[in-house]
Amino acid sequence: MTKISEAVSYARVSGVGQIERSGLERQEETVSSYAEGNGFEIVNFYREEGISGTTNGGDRPAFKEMIGFVI
């Protein structure tokens, strides 16, 4: 029997175009598919809209919440 490991998902989009074109949903679907096929159970999804990838992790509320959850 394969052991299922718990995992979290973090998705981020910065631009309005990514938000309007379901960028977060596509990321979450990809992560969920990977998790399902590789023995992971996603226990929490964290998402940020309109935040640049160059933004410091301390200035990303969902990222901070995720880090607090996993440590």
Side-chain angles (χ1 to χ4, degrees), residues 2 4 6-8 13 16 20-21 25 29 31 38 41-42 46-47 50 56-57 59 62-63 65 68-70:
T2 303
I4 300 294
E6 292 183 342
V8 298
V13 294
V16 173
E20 291 174 351
R21 290 190 300 271
E25 288 80 9
E29 287 170 9
V31 169
N38 290 279
E41 175 190 2
I42 305 294
Y46 298 91
R47 48 173 32 205
N56 182 306
D59 295 328
F63 184 80
E65 183 181 347
F69 178 80
V70 299

Side-chain angles (χ1 to χ4, degrees), residues 9-68:
S9 170
Y10 175 78
R12 181 200 55 77
V13 294
S14 57
V16 173
Q18 293 172 319
I19 294 167
E20 291 174 351
R21 290 190 300 271
S22 304
L24 289 171
E25 288 80 9
R26 285 194 315 266
Q27 289 179 49
E28 290 174 352
E29 287 170 9
T30 300
V31 169
S32 292
S33 178
Y34 177 86
E36 186 176 314
N38 290 279
F40 294 97
E41 175 190 2
I42 305 294
V43 294
N44 276 333
F45 284 90
Y46 298 91
R47 48 173 32 205
E48 311 239 63
E49 293 182 8
I51 296 184
S52 169
T54 62
T55 302
N56 182 306
D59 295 328
R60 299 179 187 187
F63 184 80
K64 283 177 61 174
E65 183 181 347
M66 177 189 68
I67 295 300

